[in-house]
Amino acid sequence: MAQQFSGTPQIKTRTAVLLFIKGSSAPVVLYVENAQATYEEIQQLIKTQSPTLLEKEGTGPIKKVSVFVNQISAVALQDEQYV
């Protein structure tokens, strides 16, 4: 019979914003407070394709990212599970 562990950790989910930069093989993973709002803001900026400088501060390993909007090829949201 399988034994149930009473101290199983709670699995939480966080959402990351992925920035795909032209000429880069890996996306930039940015953790922000409101990922959905950041995603929508970057989507609108990509549609304009203006040479605007995008600066965002993150809460994860990357503390701040600065990139020209016309160098962003795509943006995506990714849900990640952690303990």
Side-chain angles (χ1 to χ4, degrees):
M1 182 182 233
Q3 197 176 32
Q4 297 273 337
F5 292 105
S6 61
T8 57
Q10 291 278 344
I11 296 177
K12 301 174 187 173
T13 303
R14 64 182 172 190
T15 304
V17 178
L18 304 178
L19 294 175
F20 295 90
I21 309 296
K22 294 177 183 175
S24 177
S25 60
V28 175
V29 181
L30 187 62
Y31 298 101
V32 291
E33 293 295 325
N34 190 347
Q36 185 67 37
T38 302
Y39 170 79
E40 291 172 2
E41 176 188 354
I42 295 171
Q43 278 285 9
Q44 290 299 318
L45 289 172
I46 289 174
K47 289 178 184 176
T48 62
Q49 281 295 317
S50 63
T52 307
L53 183 66
L54 173 73
E55 289 186 341
K56 287 292 178 185
E57 293 190 17
T59 58
I62 298 178
K63 299 299 180 194
K64 188 172 187 178
V65 66
S66 299
V67 65
F68 283 104
V69 173
N70 59 358
Q71 292 299 310
I72 300 173
S73 59
V75 64
L77 290 175
Q78 175 176 301
D79 288 332
E80 300 176 351
Q81 295 180 345
Y82 68 102
V83 179

PDB file of all heavy atoms in Angstrom, residues 3-35:
ATOM      1  N   GLN A   3       2.251   4.891   0.735  1.00  0.00           N
ATOM      2  CA  GLN A   3       2.226   5.686   1.949  1.00  0.00           C
ATOM      3  C   GLN A   3       2.038   7.156   1.577  1.00  0.00           C
ATOM      4  O   GLN A   3       2.706   7.678   0.694  1.00  0.00           O
ATOM      5  CB  GLN A   3       3.543   5.497   2.692  1.00  0.00           C
ATOM      6  CG  GLN A   3       3.512   5.920   4.118  1.00  0.00           C
ATOM      7  CD  GLN A   3       4.840   5.596   4.788  1.00  0.00           C
ATOM      8  OE1 GLN A   3       5.881   5.627   4.160  1.00  0.00           O
ATOM      9  NE2 GLN A   3       4.788   5.263   6.049  1.00  0.00           N
ATOM     10  N   GLN A   4       1.113   7.823   2.228  1.00  0.00           N
ATOM     11  CA  GLN A   4       0.843   9.232   1.988  1.00  0.00           C
ATOM     12  C   GLN A   4       1.764  10.076   2.859  1.00  0.00           C
ATOM     13  O   GLN A   4       1.880   9.853   4.046  1.00  0.00           O
ATOM     14  CB  GLN A   4      -0.615   9.559   2.333  1.00  0.00           C
ATOM     15  CG  GLN A   4      -1.616   8.829   1.490  1.00  0.00           C
ATOM     16  CD  GLN A   4      -1.915   9.566   0.207  1.00  0.00           C
ATOM     17  OE1 GLN A   4      -1.735  10.753   0.114  1.00  0.00           O
ATOM     18  NE2 GLN A   4      -2.367   8.833  -0.793  1.00  0.00           N
ATOM     19  N   PHE A   5       2.410  11.066   2.240  1.00  0.00           N
ATOM     20  CA  PHE A   5       3.263  11.982   2.996  1.00  0.00           C
ATOM     21  C   PHE A   5       2.448  13.198   3.366  1.00  0.00           C
ATOM     22  O   PHE A   5       1.819  13.831   2.517  1.00  0.00           O
ATOM     23  CB  PHE A   5       4.472  12.402   2.169  1.00  0.00           C
ATOM     24  CG  PHE A   5       5.427  11.280   1.924  1.00  0.00           C
ATOM     25  CD1 PHE A   5       5.491  10.662   0.687  1.00  0.00           C
ATOM     26  CD2 PHE A   5       6.268  10.841   2.931  1.00  0.00           C
ATOM     27  CE1 PHE A   5       6.376   9.628   0.459  1.00  0.00           C
ATOM     28  CE2 PHE A   5       7.163   9.807   2.712  1.00  0.00           C
ATOM     29  CZ  PHE A   5       7.218   9.199   1.483  1.00  0.00           C
ATOM     30  N   SER A   6       2.449  13.535   4.642  1.00  0.00           N
ATOM     31  CA  SER A   6       1.661  14.675   5.093  1.00  0.00           C
ATOM     32  C   SER A   6       2.372  15.996   4.827  1.00  0.00           C
ATOM     33  O   SER A   6       1.748  17.043   4.775  1.00  0.00           O
ATOM     34  CB  SER A   6       1.358  14.553   6.593  1.00  0.00           C
ATOM     35  OG  SER A   6       2.570  14.532   7.327  1.00  0.00           O
ATOM     36  N   GLY A   7       3.674  15.969   4.638  1.00  0.00           N
ATOM     37  CA  GLY A   7       4.431  17.203   4.453  1.00  0.00           C
ATOM     38  C   GLY A   7       4.760  17.503   3.007  1.00  0.00           C
ATOM     39  O   GLY A   7       5.817  18.026   2.712  1.00  0.00           O
ATOM     40  N   THR A   8       3.858  17.178   2.081  1.00  0.00           N
ATOM     41  CA  THR A   8       4.128  17.459   0.675  1.00  0.00           C
ATOM     42  C   THR A   8       4.129  18.967   0.445  1.00  0.00           C
ATOM     43  O   THR A   8       3.263  19.679   0.958  1.00  0.00           O
ATOM     44  CB  THR A   8       3.090  16.791  -0.247  1.00  0.00           C
ATOM     45  OG1 THR A   8       1.791  17.236   0.135  1.00  0.00           O
ATOM     46  CG2 THR A   8       3.184  15.290  -0.172  1.00  0.00           C
ATOM     47  N   PRO A   9       5.104  19.455  -0.305  1.00  0.00           N
ATOM     48  CA  PRO A   9       5.186  20.898  -0.534  1.00  0.00           C
ATOM     49  C   PRO A   9       4.082  21.392  -1.467  1.00  0.00           C
ATOM     50  O   PRO A   9       3.625  20.657  -2.339  1.00  0.00           O
ATOM     51  CB  PRO A   9       6.557  21.073  -1.178  1.00  0.00           C
ATOM     52  CG  PRO A   9       6.861  19.759  -1.791  1.00  0.00           C
ATOM     53  CD  PRO A   9       6.183  18.734  -0.945  1.00  0.00           C
ATOM     54  N   GLN A  10       3.683  22.625  -1.256  1.00  0.00           N
ATOM     55  CA  GLN A  10       2.692  23.261  -2.117  1.00  0.00           C
ATOM     56  C   GLN A  10       3.370  23.684  -3.421  1.00  0.00           C
ATOM     57  O   GLN A  10       4.388  24.356  -3.407  1.00  0.00           O
ATOM     58  CB  GLN A  10       2.113  24.500  -1.428  1.00  0.00           C
ATOM     59  CG  GLN A  10       1.253  24.196  -0.240  1.00  0.00           C
ATOM     60  CD  GLN A  10      -0.160  23.821  -0.667  1.00  0.00           C
ATOM     61  OE1 GLN A  10      -0.548  24.061  -1.790  1.00  0.00           O
ATOM     62  NE2 GLN A  10      -0.910  23.256   0.245  1.00  0.00           N
ATOM     63  N   ILE A  11       2.820  23.294  -4.544  1.00  0.00           N
ATOM     64  CA  ILE A  11       3.364  23.689  -5.837  1.00  0.00           C
ATOM     65  C   ILE A  11       2.670  24.975  -6.258  1.00  0.00           C
ATOM     66  O   ILE A  11       1.448  25.046  -6.329  1.00  0.00           O
ATOM     67  CB  ILE A  11       3.166  22.585  -6.890  1.00  0.00           C
ATOM     68  CG1 ILE A  11       3.951  21.342  -6.482  1.00  0.00           C
ATOM     69  CG2 ILE A  11       3.594  23.067  -8.262  1.00  0.00           C
ATOM     70  CD1 ILE A  11       3.777  20.164  -7.396  1.00  0.00           C
ATOM     71  N   LYS A  12       3.480  26.002  -6.534  1.00  0.00           N
ATOM     72  CA  LYS A  12       2.960  27.308  -6.940  1.00  0.00           C
ATOM     73  C   LYS A  12       3.235  27.509  -8.418  1.00  0.00           C
ATOM     74  O   LYS A  12       4.089  26.846  -9.008  1.00  0.00           O
ATOM     75  CB  LYS A  12       3.641  28.405  -6.129  1.00  0.00           C
ATOM     76  CG  LYS A  12       3.435  28.264  -4.636  1.00  0.00           C
ATOM     77  CD  LYS A  12       4.247  29.290  -3.896  1.00  0.00           C
ATOM     78  CE  LYS A  12       4.178  29.036  -2.402  1.00  0.00           C
ATOM     79  NZ  LYS A  12       5.090  29.908  -1.661  1.00  0.00           N
ATOM     80  N   THR A  13       2.530  28.434  -9.025  1.00  0.00           N
ATOM     81  CA  THR A  13       2.710  28.750 -10.436  1.00  0.00           C
ATOM     82  C   THR A  13       3.010  30.231 -10.581  1.00  0.00           C
ATOM     83  O   THR A  13       2.371  31.067  -9.954  1.00  0.00           O
ATOM     84  CB  THR A  13       1.441  28.409 -11.240  1.00  0.00           C
ATOM     85  OG1 THR A  13       1.134  27.021 -11.044  1.00  0.00           O
ATOM     86  CG2 THR A  13       1.634  28.661 -12.713  1.00  0.00           C
ATOM     87  N   ARG A  14       4.007  30.541 -11.410  1.00  0.00           N
ATOM     88  CA  ARG A  14       4.314  31.933 -11.728  1.00  0.00           C
ATOM     89  C   ARG A  14       4.378  32.062 -13.245  1.00  0.00           C
ATOM     90  O   ARG A  14       4.638  31.093 -13.955  1.00  0.00           O
ATOM     91  CB  ARG A  14       5.619  32.383 -11.083  1.00  0.00           C
ATOM     92  CG  ARG A  14       6.832  31.653 -11.567  1.00  0.00           C
ATOM     93  CD  ARG A  14       8.068  32.130 -10.854  1.00  0.00           C
ATOM     94  NE  ARG A  14       9.183  31.261 -11.218  1.00  0.00           N
ATOM     95  CZ  ARG A  14      10.343  31.270 -10.638  1.00  0.00           C
ATOM     96  NH1 ARG A  14      10.557  32.106  -9.649  1.00  0.00           N
ATOM     97  NH2 ARG A  14      11.294  30.467 -11.031  1.00  0.00           N
ATOM     98  N   THR A  15       4.131  33.255 -13.721  1.00  0.00           N
ATOM     99  CA  THR A  15       4.109  33.500 -15.159  1.00  0.00           C
ATOM    100  C   THR A  15       5.296  34.371 -15.543  1.00  0.00           C
ATOM    101  O   THR A  15       5.554  35.389 -14.916  1.00  0.00           O
ATOM    102  CB  THR A  15       2.797  34.192 -15.569  1.00  0.00           C
ATOM    103  OG1 THR A  15       1.702  33.379 -15.138  1.00  0.00           O
ATOM    104  CG2 THR A  15       2.718  34.381 -17.067  1.00  0.00           C
ATOM    105  N   ALA A  16       6.001  33.947 -16.573  1.00  0.00           N
ATOM    106  CA  ALA A  16       7.153  34.680 -17.082  1.00  0.00           C
ATOM    107  C   ALA A  16       6.818  35.247 -18.456  1.00  0.00           C
ATOM    108  O   ALA A  16       6.039  34.673 -19.211  1.00  0.00           O
ATOM    109  CB  ALA A  16       8.358  33.765 -17.181  1.00  0.00           C
ATOM    110  N   VAL A  17       7.429  36.382 -18.766  1.00  0.00           N
ATOM    111  CA  VAL A  17       7.305  36.988 -20.089  1.00  0.00           C
ATOM    112  C   VAL A  17       8.568  36.627 -20.862  1.00  0.00           C
ATOM    113  O   VAL A  17       9.681  36.868 -20.393  1.00  0.00           O
ATOM    114  CB  VAL A  17       7.154  38.522 -19.986  1.00  0.00           C
ATOM    115  CG1 VAL A  17       7.070  39.147 -21.369  1.00  0.00           C
ATOM    116  CG2 VAL A  17       5.932  38.887 -19.167  1.00  0.00           C
ATOM    117  N   LEU A  18       8.405  36.019 -22.016  1.00  0.00           N
ATOM    118  CA  LEU A  18       9.537  35.631 -22.858  1.00  0.00           C
ATOM    119  C   LEU A  18       9.671  36.627 -23.998  1.00  0.00           C
ATOM    120  O   LEU A  18       8.714  36.851 -24.745  1.00  0.00           O
ATOM    121  CB  LEU A  18       9.335  34.228 -23.433  1.00  0.00           C
ATOM    122  CG  LEU A  18       9.095  33.097 -22.436  1.00  0.00           C
ATOM    123  CD1 LEU A  18       8.864  31.793 -23.179  1.00  0.00           C
ATOM    124  CD2 LEU A  18      10.254  32.958 -21.485  1.00  0.00           C
ATOM    125  N   LEU A  19      10.855  37.219 -24.118  1.00  0.00           N
ATOM    126  CA  LEU A  19      11.139  38.143 -25.212  1.00  0.00           C
ATOM    127  C   LEU A  19      12.071  37.453 -26.197  1.00  0.00           C
ATOM    128  O   LEU A  19      13.176  37.043 -25.828  1.00  0.00           O
ATOM    129  CB  LEU A  19      11.817  39.411 -24.692  1.00  0.00           C
ATOM    130  CG  LEU A  19      10.999  40.320 -23.798  1.00  0.00           C
ATOM    131  CD1 LEU A  19      11.869  41.453 -23.276  1.00  0.00           C
ATOM    132  CD2 LEU A  19       9.821  40.872 -24.554  1.00  0.00           C
ATOM    133  N   PHE A  20      11.641  37.321 -27.422  1.00  0.00           N
ATOM    134  CA  PHE A  20      12.459  36.729 -28.466  1.00  0.00           C
ATOM    135  C   PHE A  20      13.110  37.868 -29.248  1.00  0.00           C
ATOM    136  O   PHE A  20      12.428  38.654 -29.904  1.00  0.00           O
ATOM    137  CB  PHE A  20      11.611  35.851 -29.390  1.00  0.00           C
ATOM    138  CG  PHE A  20      11.045  34.648 -28.678  1.00  0.00           C
ATOM    139  CD1 PHE A  20       9.810  34.699 -28.057  1.00  0.00           C
ATOM    140  CD2 PHE A  20      11.778  33.480 -28.603  1.00  0.00           C
ATOM    141  CE1 PHE A  20       9.294  33.597 -27.395  1.00  0.00           C
ATOM    142  CE2 PHE A  20      11.278  32.364 -27.946  1.00  0.00           C
ATOM    143  CZ  PHE A  20      10.042  32.429 -27.335  1.00  0.00           C
ATOM    144  N   ILE A  21      14.442  37.947 -29.140  1.00  0.00           N
ATOM    145  CA  ILE A  21      15.204  39.034 -29.735  1.00  0.00           C
ATOM    146  C   ILE A  21      15.792  38.559 -31.069  1.00  0.00           C
ATOM    147  O   ILE A  21      16.299  37.431 -31.172  1.00  0.00           O
ATOM    148  CB  ILE A  21      16.350  39.479 -28.790  1.00  0.00           C
ATOM    149  CG1 ILE A  21      15.818  39.746 -27.376  1.00  0.00           C
ATOM    150  CG2 ILE A  21      17.079  40.693 -29.343  1.00  0.00           C
ATOM    151  CD1 ILE A  21      14.840  40.873 -27.256  1.00  0.00           C
ATOM    152  N   LYS A  22      15.737  39.423 -32.079  1.00  0.00           N
ATOM    153  CA  LYS A  22      16.310  39.080 -33.388  1.00  0.00           C
ATOM    154  C   LYS A  22      17.809  38.841 -33.237  1.00  0.00           C
ATOM    155  O   LYS A  22      18.514  39.613 -32.597  1.00  0.00           O
ATOM    156  CB  LYS A  22      16.057  40.213 -34.378  1.00  0.00           C
ATOM    157  CG  LYS A  22      14.600  40.406 -34.706  1.00  0.00           C
ATOM    158  CD  LYS A  22      14.388  41.575 -35.638  1.00  0.00           C
ATOM    159  CE  LYS A  22      12.906  41.791 -35.886  1.00  0.00           C
ATOM    160  NZ  LYS A  22      12.654  42.991 -36.682  1.00  0.00           N
ATOM    161  N   GLY A  23      18.295  37.752 -33.808  1.00  0.00           N
ATOM    162  CA  GLY A  23      19.705  37.425 -33.772  1.00  0.00           C
ATOM    163  C   GLY A  23      20.132  36.669 -32.527  1.00  0.00           C
ATOM    164  O   GLY A  23      21.292  36.312 -32.384  1.00  0.00           O
ATOM    165  N   SER A  24      19.213  36.402 -31.617  1.00  0.00           N
ATOM    166  CA  SER A  24      19.524  35.659 -30.400  1.00  0.00           C
ATOM    167  C   SER A  24      18.885  34.281 -30.485  1.00  0.00           C
ATOM    168  O   SER A  24      17.760  34.137 -30.954  1.00  0.00           O
ATOM    169  CB  SER A  24      18.990  36.409 -29.180  1.00  0.00           C
ATOM    170  OG  SER A  24      19.225  35.674 -28.000  1.00  0.00           O
ATOM    171  N   SER A  25      19.590  33.271 -29.999  1.00  0.00           N
ATOM    172  CA  SER A  25      19.053  31.916 -30.091  1.00  0.00           C
ATOM    173  C   SER A  25      18.131  31.561 -28.929  1.00  0.00           C
ATOM    174  O   SER A  25      17.283  30.689 -29.055  1.00  0.00           O
ATOM    175  CB  SER A  25      20.195  30.904 -30.164  1.00  0.00           C
ATOM    176  OG  SER A  25      20.998  31.023 -29.001  1.00  0.00           O
ATOM    177  N   ALA A  26      18.294  32.221 -27.785  1.00  0.00           N
ATOM    178  CA  ALA A  26      17.463  31.928 -26.614  1.00  0.00           C
ATOM    179  C   ALA A  26      16.650  33.166 -26.236  1.00  0.00           C
ATOM    180  O   ALA A  26      17.120  34.297 -26.387  1.00  0.00           O
ATOM    181  CB  ALA A  26      18.337  31.507 -25.440  1.00  0.00           C
ATOM    182  N   PRO A  27      15.437  32.971 -25.739  1.00  0.00           N
ATOM    183  CA  PRO A  27      14.632  34.128 -25.335  1.00  0.00           C
ATOM    184  C   PRO A  27      15.120  34.714 -24.006  1.00  0.00           C
ATOM    185  O   PRO A  27      15.773  34.046 -23.213  1.00  0.00           O
ATOM    186  CB  PRO A  27      13.224  33.548 -25.178  1.00  0.00           C
ATOM    187  CG  PRO A  27      13.458  32.123 -24.838  1.00  0.00           C
ATOM    188  CD  PRO A  27      14.700  31.715 -25.577  1.00  0.00           C
ATOM    189  N   VAL A  28      14.777  35.970 -23.782  1.00  0.00           N
ATOM    190  CA  VAL A  28      15.031  36.625 -22.503  1.00  0.00           C
ATOM    191  C   VAL A  28      13.825  36.350 -21.623  1.00  0.00           C
ATOM    192  O   VAL A  28      12.691  36.660 -21.996  1.00  0.00           O
ATOM    193  CB  VAL A  28      15.243  38.146 -22.684  1.00  0.00           C
ATOM    194  CG1 VAL A  28      15.385  38.836 -21.343  1.00  0.00           C
ATOM    195  CG2 VAL A  28      16.442  38.409 -23.570  1.00  0.00           C
ATOM    196  N   VAL A  29      14.046  35.747 -20.449  1.00  0.00           N
ATOM    197  CA  VAL A  29      12.957  35.398 -19.537  1.00  0.00           C
ATOM    198  C   VAL A  29      12.868  36.490 -18.480  1.00  0.00           C
ATOM    199  O   VAL A  29      13.815  36.719 -17.737  1.00  0.00           O
ATOM    200  CB  VAL A  29      13.193  34.025 -18.884  1.00  0.00           C
ATOM    201  CG1 VAL A  29      12.046  33.676 -17.960  1.00  0.00           C
ATOM    202  CG2 VAL A  29      13.374  32.963 -19.946  1.00  0.00           C
ATOM    203  N   LEU A  30      11.732  37.151 -18.417  1.00  0.00           N
ATOM    204  CA  LEU A  30      11.548  38.272 -17.514  1.00  0.00           C
ATOM    205  C   LEU A  30      10.384  37.982 -16.565  1.00  0.00           C
ATOM    206  O   LEU A  30       9.269  37.714 -17.014  1.00  0.00           O
ATOM    207  CB  LEU A  30      11.274  39.541 -18.325  1.00  0.00           C
ATOM    208  CG  LEU A  30      11.220  40.862 -17.590  1.00  0.00           C
ATOM    209  CD1 LEU A  30      12.575  41.162 -16.935  1.00  0.00           C
ATOM    210  CD2 LEU A  30      10.865  41.981 -18.535  1.00  0.00           C
ATOM    211  N   TYR A  31      10.663  38.017 -15.274  1.00  0.00           N
ATOM    212  CA  TYR A  31       9.627  37.841 -14.257  1.00  0.00           C
ATOM    213  C   TYR A  31       9.210  39.220 -13.770  1.00  0.00           C
ATOM    214  O   TYR A  31      10.042  39.988 -13.293  1.00  0.00           O
ATOM    215  CB  TYR A  31      10.143  37.009 -13.082  1.00  0.00           C
ATOM    216  CG  TYR A  31      10.548  35.615 -13.471  1.00  0.00           C
ATOM    217  CD1 TYR A  31      11.878  35.278 -13.658  1.00  0.00           C
ATOM    218  CD2 TYR A  31       9.586  34.631 -13.664  1.00  0.00           C
ATOM    219  CE1 TYR A  31      12.242  34.001 -14.029  1.00  0.00           C
ATOM    220  CE2 TYR A  31       9.949  33.353 -14.035  1.00  0.00           C
ATOM    221  CZ  TYR A  31      11.274  33.041 -14.213  1.00  0.00           C
ATOM    222  OH  TYR A  31      11.632  31.767 -14.589  1.00  0.00           O
ATOM    223  N   VAL A  32       7.931  39.538 -13.910  1.00  0.00           N
ATOM    224  CA  VAL A  32       7.399  40.831 -13.494  1.00  0.00           C
ATOM    225  C   VAL A  32       6.175  40.613 -12.612  1.00  0.00           C
ATOM    226  O   VAL A  32       5.629  39.516 -12.542  1.00  0.00           O
ATOM    227  CB  VAL A  32       7.035  41.704 -14.713  1.00  0.00           C
ATOM    228  CG1 VAL A  32       8.279  42.137 -15.465  1.00  0.00           C
ATOM    229  CG2 VAL A  32       6.092  40.996 -15.648  1.00  0.00           C
ATOM    230  N   GLU A  33       5.745  41.676 -11.958  1.00  0.00           N
ATOM    231  CA  GLU A  33       4.586  41.580 -11.066  1.00  0.00           C
ATOM    232  C   GLU A  33       3.304  41.259 -11.836  1.00  0.00           C
ATOM    233  O   GLU A  33       2.533  40.408 -11.455  1.00  0.00           O
ATOM    234  CB  GLU A  33       4.417  42.896 -10.279  1.00  0.00           C
ATOM    235  CG  GLU A  33       5.527  43.153  -9.295  1.00  0.00           C
ATOM    236  CD  GLU A  33       5.577  42.133  -8.183  1.00  0.00           C
ATOM    237  OE1 GLU A  33       4.508  41.655  -7.744  1.00  0.00           O
ATOM    238  OE2 GLU A  33       6.699  41.787  -7.771  1.00  0.00           O
ATOM    239  N   ASN A  34       3.058  41.978 -12.929  1.00  0.00           N
ATOM    240  CA  ASN A  34       1.845  41.776 -13.711  1.00  0.00           C
ATOM    241  C   ASN A  34       2.249  41.345 -15.118  1.00  0.00           C
ATOM    242  O   ASN A  34       2.436  42.181 -16.004  1.00  0.00           O
ATOM    243  CB  ASN A  34       1.005  43.055 -13.736  1.00  0.00           C
ATOM    244  CG  ASN A  34      -0.370  42.822 -14.318  1.00  0.00           C
ATOM    245  OD1 ASN A  34      -0.645  41.793 -14.911  1.00  0.00           O
ATOM    246  ND2 ASN A  34      -1.245  43.789 -14.126  1.00  0.00           N
ATOM    247  N   ALA A  35       2.403  40.055 -15.323  1.00  0.00           N
ATOM    248  CA  ALA A  35       2.898  39.526 -16.595  1.00  0.00           C
ATOM    249  C   ALA A  35       1.927  39.779 -17.738  1.00  0.00           C
ATOM    250  O   ALA A  35       2.349  40.092 -18.853  1.00  0.00           O
ATOM    251  CB  ALA A  35       3.180  38.036 -16.466  1.00  0.00           C
TER     252      ALA A  35
END
